[in-house]
Amino acid sequence: MTGPLKGIRVIDITTNISGPSLTMILADLGAEVIKIERPNTGDDSRMMGPLWEGEGVYYLHINRNKRSIVIDLRTSEGKDLIYDLIKDADVFVENFRYGKASKLGIGYEDLKEVNKGLIYCSLSAYGQEGEKRHKPGYDAIVQADTGIMGINGSEDGEVARAGVSILDQGSAMWGALGIVSALYHRVQSGKGQKVETSLYETGVFWTGYHMLSYMATGIEPKKMGTNHASFAPYGAFATADDSIMIGISNNSLFAKLCKVLSKEEWIEDDRFRTNLNRVENRTVLNDCIESVFKTKSASVWIHELEEGGVPSSIIQKVSSVIKSAQTESTKMLTPVNHPKIKGLNLPRLPFQLSDSPLEIQKSPPLLGEDTISILREKDIDDETISELIEKGVIQVSDQLEYKK
Amino acid sequence: MTGPLKGIRVIDITTNISGPSLTMILADLGAEVIKIERPNTGDDSRMMGPLWEGEGVYYLHINRNKRSIVIDLRTSEGKDLIYDLIKDADVFVENFRYGKASKLGIGYEDLKEVNKGLIYCSLSAYGQEGEKRHKPGYDAIVQADTGIMGINGSEDGEVARAGVSILDQGSAMWGALGIVSALYHRVQSGKGQKVETSLYETGVFWTGYHMLSYMATGIEPKKMGTNHASFAPYGAFATADDSIMIGISNNSLFAKLCKVLSKEEWIEDDRFRTNLNRVENRTVLNDCIESVFKTKSASVWIHELEEGGVPSSIIQKVSSVIKSAQTESTKMLTPVNHPKIKGLNLPRLPFQLSDSPLEIQKSPPLLGEDTISILREKDIDDETISELIEKGVIQVSDQLEYKK
């Protein structure tokens, strides 16, 4: 690993989406991430459909660059192994329901005793305070509970869950930022600390602009489809074939649009002169524009809009994004060698560092793939390892033959 | 400031949403952020509606904890002031169109000469590579271009822009993570570096799960409303009054739901026995469930579902999220003293650090509020400051009387 967190060791006991997304970010940044999984099934996301050669695609997406060790936390030997791993770790991440980590003996107060400099991160559904902290929560449930769902969807249609997991992955991003910030703080202060984040807090922050709009105006934010409350014209328009998206935020861009549409008379039209006028007369403006757009195909318009300097795009399918020239130019998809899946490509993190580049070096591990190598690094002898396997305290991957 | 980035100085020349959101994160983390604005109008977001006592609410949301200095970049004296500020800065952030920073003499190569240890961040619409790098882009345009819009909305309705700015703010989060990681790297290596992120890369990463699903199955991802391709029942259901959202990801939760609905016979029903069965028979299952939900009101069901341990929520309005007990318990809204707006509350970042807590200490600055204090700190004498004001190289806030 060449990333900035090279030399940092993370013990990761998270499951499902949010926690593993968080530790994947740390792994891509160069940290060594040891993923502790429960016997037999491992992380639930391994079986979340669709499967690809038997591997859940969500698991594949968010577990590269990690090592997997299977430990039965319910045994005292298992717990001792965890404490042993914590001793020389830098970061611990958990996403249990509220209170469960402490019950298991791996709460912050417990692990601080084992390792004073530890950075301990809790990622939960509703946070560590308030009446809802005990509640289970998934991305969509918390989208509903933080107002996101209520303002997402077409104007006359049903509400919708934002189509990508903005709370699972958003909270993962905030947690990772908190951890790296705490690592930076530790260099200055020598102190570890607790990092807390949650899907709920992330959701409230996503709606920040809408909350402030409501506080300023008293007007309840609503679903706007592809439009934007503050700007017009701004949204999707039908053409002779596929829809296209345009976004006009000021008078200069509106003039450019009018030129492309050969409707320069609109520039000085009282109904459309300023953004405020255009927002007021959005319906008639959108009708006027669409009647022109309908005369040619989407690809012709996109070409003309680009030439004219008007922000625009066709509404891409996911399959087209995979193959698009811009995805290729930005090298967003990285080939990864996987023992079962040929041609696996995983999206890299969406930022780059020139002097400590991020890399995807290791495919998402099979369950227990690294159990033995991790324990050997801790100087646990092979006889003890054999005993622990026989007792069911640890497991090794089915794919690997255990050799003494 | 008590945050982990205390002592870090950021020079911020960004405008609109994504860039200022990025530097707001650094400011909340305790960095000193100097926001450079153009004369007369300043950051465009100051005038993005709705306005609150004349201040754009988006500006208010993402510019707290910063200081504002007005410099005319088109003058050589103005440029010299920038170089002077860069000399003892740690971080520089820009979100110009591709190539413009270099044309202005403030590209990475230029500023590296002034300050070898500088961390230089470029946040753009389409990244620094590829044919689209020259294109302007807004959140919604790039949502269309990265496949997000195409999978967002109700099943039979129109596509929709995700109702919150997941690319503007998402790219801000990745950029901030890149910068803090680069600061950590600099402590080890002594080296500055370039950090690059974009709305496009952020959008491709958001769709990662859907891209992998397509690569695994060849099935084009589609709009699912409030449902989730991998799970059932999972979505919004009508009751006797308001809709409610439930999310069932495994058999144990399905059994709990059946108990709450007094339909325990469904647990062993062949159509619903496993998640795979339930996904296959989603339509009939959803109909069965909705017919029961319609017998009582949303508030009664939410109470019963919570008692029964079933993940659920009503679909909150933004105005209700502001007042909700959980928002209050998690202290997500922070009171801020503002010279014009009484009762301003701003959402804090969605994570907390126990030993280096994040704070909101300063209201979003008026244009040029800190021009003089910043220049005085650079030991520029008052006579020179007066001259620069007269020449129009710098401006001070209308609100502040300039005293020699």
Side-chain angles (χ1 to χ4, degrees):
Chain A
M1 287 289 175
T2 57
L5 298 193
K6 194 181 168 186
I8 292 294
R9 178 175 278 205
V10 178
I11 307 301
D12 170 17
I13 202 156
T14 67
T15 59
N16 290 296
I17 310 302
S18 60
S21 294
L22 190 166
T23 55
M24 175 258 288
I25 297 170
L26 303 178
D28 276 26
L29 281 166
E32 180 199 356
V33 175
I34 294 179
K35 180 180 178 73
I36 298 174
E37 298 190 75
R38 67 164 174 275
N40 305 319
T41 52
D43 189 340
D44 280 341
S45 69
R46 289 181 176 276
M47 283 300 121
M48 279 180 196
L51 304 187
W52 195 353
E53 303 293 345
E55 308 280 319
V57 297
Y58 227 138
Y59 173 80
L60 292 171
H61 180 27
I62 58 179
N63 286 286
R64 75 279 186 101
N65 282 340
K66 300 180 189 176
R67 303 205 287 164
S68 164
I69 181 171
V70 175
I71 301 178
D72 189 346
L73 263 179
R74 295 164 306 179
T75 64
S76 65
E77 293 105 318
K79 231 164 263 183
D80 287 341
L81 287 176
I82 307 268
Y83 295 137
D84 203 22
L85 286 169
I86 292 294
K87 269 181 201 153
D88 59 359
D90 301 284
V91 176
F92 178 80
V93 189
E94 63 90 8
N95 67 343
F96 290 115
R97 293 271 288 277
Y98 178 77
K100 188 171 171 194
S102 294
K103 263 188 208 156
L104 286 168
I106 52 175
Y108 181 47
E109 299 305 321
D110 305 305
L111 298 192
K112 205 167 58 170
E113 293 300 309
V114 180
N115 179 342
K116 265 199 169 1
L118 189 70
I119 290 158
Y120 185 109
C121 179
S122 292
L123 197 177
S124 60
Y126 281 93
Q128 308 292 317
E129 302 292 336
E131 57 180 7
K132 289 194 176 173
R133 65 182 168 179
H134 297 283
K135 276 193 72 173
Y138 294 95
D139 187 281
I141 300 291
V142 185
Q143 283 197 25
D145 213 0
T146 55
I148 295 171
M149 194 173 275
I151 52 172
N152 188 49
S154 58
E155 219 162 329
D156 308 320
E158 301 289 318
V159 299
R161 166 182 174 270
V164 292
S165 302
I166 62 174
L167 295 188
D168 276 338
Q169 294 200 45
S171 59
M173 292 159 73
W174 290 118
L177 180 65
I179 288 168
V180 179
S181 301
L183 283 166
Y184 183 78
H185 180 71
R186 195 179 67 170
V187 179
Q188 329 288 322
S189 69
K191 286 185 191 169
Q193 60 182 314
K194 189 159 174 20
V195 179
E196 290 175 2
T197 188
S198 66
L199 276 65
Y200 187 82
E201 290 158 276
T202 300
V204 172
F205 194 78
W206 280 126
T207 64
Y209 161 73
H210 298 283
M211 290 196 295
L212 283 168
S213 292
Y214 177 80
M215 292 190 259
T217 64
I219 299 167
E220 187 71 46
K222 55 177 187 168
K223 291 184 275 97
M224 297 281 298
T226 52
N227 287 255
H228 192 296
S230 303
F231 308 109
Y234 197 104
F237 290 87
T239 71
D241 47 21
D242 297 331
S243 294
I244 56 177
M245 180 76 202
I246 60 168
I248 304 295
S249 59
N250 59 44
N251 294 348
S252 145
L253 284 174
F254 184 64
K256 288 180 181 174
L257 173 68
C258 293
K259 276 176 203 152
V260 171
L261 299 178
S262 302
K263 292 286 183 186
E264 276 153 291
E265 63 271 25
W266 290 350
I267 300 173
E268 292 303 318
D269 189 314
D270 280 344
R271 297 169 301 171
F272 311 141
R273 201 183 299 269
T274 68
N275 182 56
L276 198 62
N277 299 142
R278 294 189 292 274
V279 168
E280 266 170 25
N281 299 302
R282 187 194 298 270
T283 311
V284 59
L285 174 63
N286 284 358
D287 288 347
C288 288
I289 292 171
E290 197 153 88
S291 68
V292 183
F293 273 144
K294 278 187 170 165
T295 60
K296 297 183 201 170
S297 72
S299 59
V300 172
W301 280 120
I302 289 291
H303 179 73
E304 296 188 10
L305 290 163
E306 284 188 359
E307 291 288 302
V310 178
S312 58
S313 173
I314 63 168
I315 295 159
Q316 295 275 16
K317 288 177 184 167
V318 169
S319 57
S320 314
V321 176
I322 294 171
K323 294 164 210 141
S324 88
Q326 195 63 19
T327 300
E328 197 168 322
S329 296
T330 53
K331 299 192 176 69
M332 272 306 296
L333 291 172
T334 308
V336 177
N337 277 325
H338 190 279
K340 293 157 105 184
I341 303 165
K342 277 185 190 152
L344 180 62
N345 279 277
L346 296 174
R348 65 165 174 82
L349 296 190
F351 66 99
Q352 299 185 71
L353 299 175
S354 61
D355 195 64
S356 51
L358 279 53
E359 291 179 334
I360 301 182
Q361 293 198 329
K362 187 178 182 303
S363 66
L366 303 174
L367 182 60
E369 182 173 312
D370 309 287
T371 299
I372 290 168
S373 62
I374 292 167
L375 295 183
R376 279 181 179 160
E377 281 164 25
K378 296 296 292 180
D379 290 329
I380 296 175
D381 61 66
D382 283 2
E383 202 170 331
T384 310
I385 291 175
S386 293
E387 275 171 30
L388 290 171
I389 292 172
E390 269 164 43
K391 281 188 188 170
V393 174
I394 61 172
Q395 280 182 348
V396 298
S397 169
D398 294 336
Q399 311 290 317
L400 300 172
E401 201 186 333
Y402 173 59
K403 284 176 193 147
K404 255 200 182 178
Chain B
M1 285 289 174
T2 56
L5 298 192
K6 195 182 168 185
I8 293 294
R9 177 176 278 205
V10 178
I11 308 301
D12 170 16
I13 202 157
T14 67
T15 60
N16 288 297
I17 310 302
S18 60
S21 295
L22 189 166
T23 56
M24 174 259 288
I25 296 170
L26 303 178
D28 275 26
L29 281 165
E32 181 200 354
V33 175
I34 294 179
K35 180 181 178 76
I36 298 174
E37 298 189 76
R38 68 166 175 273
N40 305 321
T41 52
D43 190 341
D44 280 341
S45 68
R46 289 181 175 276
M47 282 300 121
M48 280 180 196
L51 305 186
W52 195 355
E53 304 291 347
E55 308 280 320
V57 298
Y58 227 138
Y59 173 79
L60 292 171
H61 180 25
I62 58 181
N63 286 287
R64 74 279 186 103
N65 282 339
K66 300 179 189 175
R67 302 204 287 164
S68 164
I69 181 171
V70 175
I71 301 178
D72 190 344
L73 262 179
R74 295 163 307 179
T75 63
S76 66
E77 294 105 317
K79 232 165 262 184
D80 287 342
L81 287 177
I82 306 268
Y83 294 137
D84 203 22
L85 286 170
I86 292 294
K87 269 180 200 153
D88 60 358
D90 302 283
V91 177
F92 178 80
V93 189
E94 63 91 7
N95 66 343
F96 289 116
R97 292 270 288 276
Y98 178 78
K100 187 170 173 195
S102 294
K103 263 187 208 155
L104 287 168
I106 52 175
Y108 181 48
E109 299 305 321
D110 305 305
L111 298 191
K112 206 167 56 170
E113 292 300 309
V114 180
N115 178 341
K116 265 200 170 358
L118 188 70
I119 290 158
Y120 185 109
C121 179
S122 292
L123 198 176
S124 60
Y126 281 94
Q128 308 292 318
E129 303 291 337
E131 58 180 7
K132 290 193 175 174
R133 64 183 169 180
H134 296 283
K135 276 194 72 172
Y138 294 96
D139 188 281
I141 301 291
V142 186
Q143 283 196 26
D145 212 0
T146 54
I148 295 171
M149 194 172 275
I151 51 172
N152 188 48
S154 57
E155 218 161 331
D156 308 320
E158 301 289 318
V159 298
R161 165 181 174 270
V164 292
S165 303
I166 63 174
L167 296 188
D168 276 337
Q169 294 200 45
S171 59
M173 292 159 73
W174 290 118
L177 180 65
I179 288 168
V180 178
S181 300
L183 283 167
Y184 183 78
H185 180 72
R186 195 178 69 169
V187 178
Q188 330 287 323
S189 69
K191 287 185 190 169
Q193 60 182 316
K194 190 160 173 22
V195 180
E196 291 175 1
T197 187
S198 67
L199 276 64
Y200 188 82
E201 291 158 276
T202 300
V204 172
F205 194 79
W206 279 126
T207 62
Y209 161 75
H210 297 283
M211 290 197 295
L212 282 168
S213 293
Y214 176 80
M215 292 190 260
T217 65
I219 299 167
E220 187 71 47
K222 55 176 187 169
K223 293 183 275 97
M224 297 282 297
T226 53
N227 286 254
H228 191 296
S230 303
F231 308 109
Y234 196 105
F237 291 87
T239 70
D241 46 23
D242 298 330
S243 294
I244 56 177
M245 180 75 200
I246 60 168
I248 304 294
S249 59
N250 59 43
N251 294 347
S252 144
L253 284 175
F254 184 64
K256 287 180 181 174
L257 172 68
C258 294
K259 275 177 203 153
V260 171
L261 299 177
S262 302
K263 292 285 183 186
E264 277 152 290
E265 63 272 24
W266 290 349
I267 300 172
E268 292 302 319
D269 190 314
D270 279 344
R271 298 169 300 172
F272 311 142
R273 202 183 298 270
T274 67
N275 182 56
L276 198 62
N277 299 141
R278 294 190 292 273
V279 169
E280 267 170 24
N281 298 300
R282 188 193 297 268
T283 311
V284 59
L285 174 62
N286 284 359
D287 288 347
C288 289
I289 292 171
E290 196 153 89
S291 68
V292 183
F293 274 144
K294 278 186 168 165
T295 60
K296 298 182 201 172
S297 72
S299 59
V300 171
W301 281 120
I302 289 292
H303 179 74
E304 294 188 13
L305 291 163
E306 284 188 0
E307 292 286 303
V310 178
S312 58
S313 174
I314 63 168
I315 296 159
Q316 295 275 16
K317 289 177 182 165
V318 169
S319 57
S320 312
V321 176
I322 294 171
K323 295 166 209 138
S324 88
Q326 194 62 20
T327 300
E328 196 167 324
S329 297
T330 52
K331 299 192 176 69
M332 273 305 295
L333 292 170
T334 308
V336 177
N337 277 325
H338 189 280
K340 293 156 104 184
I341 303 165
K342 276 186 192 151
L344 180 62
N345 279 277
L346 295 174
R348 65 163 174 84
L349 296 190
F351 66 99
Q352 299 184 70
L353 299 174
S354 62
D355 196 63
S356 51
L358 280 52
E359 290 179 334
I360 301 182
Q361 291 197 330
K362 187 178 182 302
S363 66
L366 303 174
L367 182 60
E369 182 174 311
D370 309 287
T371 299
I372 290 169
S373 63
I374 291 166
L375 295 183
R376 281 182 177 157
E377 283 165 23
K378 297 296 292 181
D379 290 329
I380 296 175
D381 62 66
D382 283 2
E383 203 171 330
T384 311
I385 291 176
S386 292
E387 276 171 30
L388 291 170
I389 292 173
E390 269 163 45
K391 282 188 190 171
V393 174
I394 61 172
Q395 280 181 346
V396 299
S397 170
D398 293 338
Q399 309 291 315
L400 299 172
E401 202 187 334
Y402 173 59
K403 286 176 191 146
K404 259 200 180 177

